[in-house]
Amino acid sequence: MASAAPVVRVLVVEDDPVAADAHALYVGRVPGFTVVGTVHSLAAATRVLDRTPVDLLLLDLTLPDGHGLRFARGLRASGHPADVIAVTSARDLAVVRESVSLGVVQYVLKPFAFPTLRERLLRYAEFRAAAAAGEAAGQDDVDRALAALRAPRPAALPKGLSAPTLDRVCSLLRAAPEGLTAAGAAEEAGISRITARRYLEHLVDTGRAARAPRYGQVGRPELTYRWLAEAGSVSNV
């Protein structure tokens, strides 16, 4: 009987305490991963790495005492074996290119929902398992190992939903911290209430929004939808 793959030990490095807690919670929900520490600076990350085995850093790039990529470069120079997943709102492709050159295995843009991080972690676990298999038998084995790190194509939207309209509804929801009803979203997006509800329910189904009843003076309560990916300041740099 094959032995189970070892648990991947993750250090969360994020300066916002609430965002750090959210990231740690996400990691803890993925089978095969465990959080060994949550820190808010590079100095604190260094102290943890000096005394605790760490396989993977979930690393914010903008921290109070330095840039995450310079920290990653230092890890490589010192021979530390921990891999890095960059978690940031920075969209500069030059930063992405530098991340690749430093061996950053994944680059996750904020804001993101749990399914996004889960997908990246599972792909990393697949790559790690393939790399642990020893010598490749040929090019196909190498290609399969590298392919595990490539992000999948975006999932097809349910029939009747379009990406531009979904983006518009997402933007409206992000801009409404108190939430939106289907009627409110419909009016602002210029679509029917039924159509707006379909988009809002899709966001709930994919973990990017939550619904809750809003009670008024009379009549049945109306559902209010609230954006989740930015909840708890998960989206700050």
Side-chain angles (χ1 to χ4, degrees):
M1 181 176 178
S3 59
V7 172
V8 178
R9 298 161 294 192
V10 182
L11 174 63
V12 175
V13 187
E14 162 65 56
D15 66 328
D16 183 274
V18 178
D21 288 345
H23 295 168
L25 178 64
Y26 285 175
V27 172
R29 291 170 60 188
V30 181
F33 290 82
T34 186
V35 176
V36 297
T38 301
V39 297
H40 311 305
S41 68
L42 297 177
T46 299
R47 290 193 292 271
V48 173
L49 290 169
D50 284 344
R51 66 174 187 266
T52 306
V54 173
D55 303 307
L56 177 68
L57 276 76
L58 202 61
L59 179 65
D60 188 17
L61 295 189
T62 306
L63 291 147
D65 54 349
H67 197 280
L69 288 186
R70 286 192 288 274
F71 186 73
R73 185 181 296 111
L75 285 179
R76 292 292 165 263
S78 67
H80 198 287
D83 290 316
V84 173
I85 291 180
V87 179
T88 179
S89 59
R91 286 163 168 77
D92 187 342
L93 290 179
V95 175
V96 177
R97 181 179 179 183
E98 185 178 0
S99 300
V100 172
S101 72
L102 291 172
V104 173
V105 295
Q106 292 281 6
Y107 194 100
V108 183
L109 283 176
K110 301 175 185 178
F112 61 88
F114 169 64
T116 297
L117 184 60
R118 177 183 59 195
E119 177 69 29
R120 299 305 190 274
L121 290 176
L122 292 177
R123 284 182 168 268
Y124 169 73
E126 184 180 342
F127 165 76
R128 184 179 171 88
E135 186 173 344
Q139 185 67 48
D140 287 347
D141 286 349
V142 174
D143 291 343
R144 276 193 293 272
L146 293 176
L149 288 176
R150 297 179 189 140
R153 294 182 179 180
L157 291 174
K159 187 177 180 180
L161 302 190
S162 71
T165 303
L166 181 61
D167 288 343
R168 173 64 176 153
V169 173
C170 286
S171 296
L172 291 172
L173 214 54
R174 288 192 191 101
E178 73 286 355
L180 282 175
T181 63
E187 181 178 356
E188 295 195 46
I191 56 180
S192 72
R193 180 173 178 171
I194 293 175
T195 299
R197 185 179 297 278
R198 287 196 64 205
Y199 282 95
L200 292 167
E201 288 294 330
H202 172 70
L203 292 174
V204 172
D205 291 342
T206 55
R208 286 176 284 177
R211 73 171 89 80
R214 175 185 290 175
Y215 295 92
Q217 297 295 324
V218 294
R220 298 176 60 187
E222 191 170 16
L223 289 176
T224 298
Y225 297 83
R226 182 173 56 85
W227 184 253
L228 279 184
E230 294 181 345
S233 301
V234 174
S235 64
N236 46 333
V237 176

